[in-house]
Amino acid sequence: MTTLPGASKLTIKVNDYDRFGADDLIGKTSIDLENRFYSKQWTNLKYKPIETRKLYHPTSKMAQGTVRLWVDIIPKEKKLPPIWSLAQKPPMEFELRAIVWDAKEVPRVDTFEDAVDIYVTGKLDDGATLKTDTHFRSTNGVGSFNWRLVFPVTFPMKSHRISFQIWDKDIVSGDDYISEVTYDFTNEAKEAF
């Protein structure tokens, strides 16, 4: 509790818990409550924004991480709003759908063939892998698929990345890896969960 105007600096410290001995400071951040309380722009917000603030340690000029928070300043004479539950949401089941329409400019990797047999795999960081059908005998480096890769996923997940790999299917020997791209679907996961 504080009185405004007055001592208005709020310092938030994040420590590394030690079972034995003193906890170690990871970093801290400071917020001037007075600047916010007397700002029309900030006080007019119905819901205060969630902020990501950098944590600094006194021995370093580099940020030591971040903390996500929101600040709500409530005058003493006002009734406190209901307390928000900060408990983690229970896990939820979703489907991650990735549609592979086509692949273009795929090089031939087998020098003794004049075509490439293209297929695409999608792989989540947890190891789940799916693949398209194979576009056989592409002589111009184009493969058409219109193939939907459907992954059952449970949020929250540790990682929100999917890697797509292009392969050349070989009947006699092992398939040839051609290229890869990784897509981070963190924004889509936040909207869903």
Side-chain angles (χ1 to χ4, degrees):
M1 187 175 301
T2 190
T3 302
L4 297 176
S8 64
K9 185 176 177 184
L10 172 65
T11 300
I12 299 165
K13 296 179 180 179
V14 176
N15 292 302
D16 176 23
Y17 170 76
D18 287 328
R19 180 181 258 179
F20 304 105
D23 295 343
D24 300 317
L25 176 67
I26 294 173
K28 61 184 178 178
T29 187
S30 296
I31 301 170
D32 188 336
L33 298 176
E34 202 169 63
N35 280 353
R36 293 186 183 207
F37 187 71
Y38 292 111
S39 163
K40 294 255 189 245
Q41 182 181 5
W42 191 80
T43 54
N44 287 339
L45 293 171
K46 183 175 180 180
Y47 298 105
K48 303 306 183 231
I50 295 176
E51 306 174 40
T52 302
R53 298 189 59 90
K54 293 182 179 179
L55 298 169
Y56 291 96
H57 193 277
T59 62
S60 176
K61 291 184 180 183
M62 301 252 328
Q64 302 300 305
T66 59
V67 62
R68 292 186 72 220
L69 56 89
W70 81 88
V71 175
D72 213 348
I73 303 171
I74 304 164
K76 190 175 181 181
E77 61 275 358
K78 279 196 171 181
K79 181 182 173 191
L80 289 175
I83 296 175
W84 289 40
S85 172
L86 298 178
Q88 186 172 0
K89 291 181 183 179
M92 291 179 65
E93 302 292 323
F94 288 90
E95 281 186 350
L96 173 65
R97 296 178 181 200
I99 299 171
V100 180
W101 295 107
D102 54 30
K104 298 177 182 174
E105 300 179 25
V106 178
R108 289 191 306 267
V109 290
D110 291 330
T111 54
F112 55 88
E113 289 189 48
D114 61 350
V116 60
D117 301 323
I118 307 167
Y119 70 90
V120 178
T121 62
K123 181 179 179 183
L124 296 175
D125 278 355
D126 71 359
T129 304
L130 296 173
K131 72 178 194 174
T132 66
D133 61 346
T134 302
H135 184 108
F136 288 100
R137 310 297 299 158
S138 172
T139 56
N140 61 358
V142 174
S144 297
F145 302 100
N146 193 16
W147 195 270
R148 182 174 291 149
L149 305 175
V150 181
F151 294 90
V153 294
T154 303
F155 290 156
M157 295 174 68
K158 288 182 181 178
S159 171
H160 299 106
R161 295 181 339 158
I162 183 170
S163 297
F164 296 97
Q165 296 179 338
I166 297 178
W167 294 83
D168 176 17
K169 184 168 188 64
D170 287 332
I171 304 299
V172 179
S173 61
D175 296 349
D176 298 314
Y177 166 83
I178 298 174
S179 66
E180 179 174 5
V181 67
T182 300
Y183 180 75
D184 186 326
F185 59 95
T186 300
N187 291 337
E188 291 84 352
K190 283 181 182 176
E191 280 188 42
F193 188 65

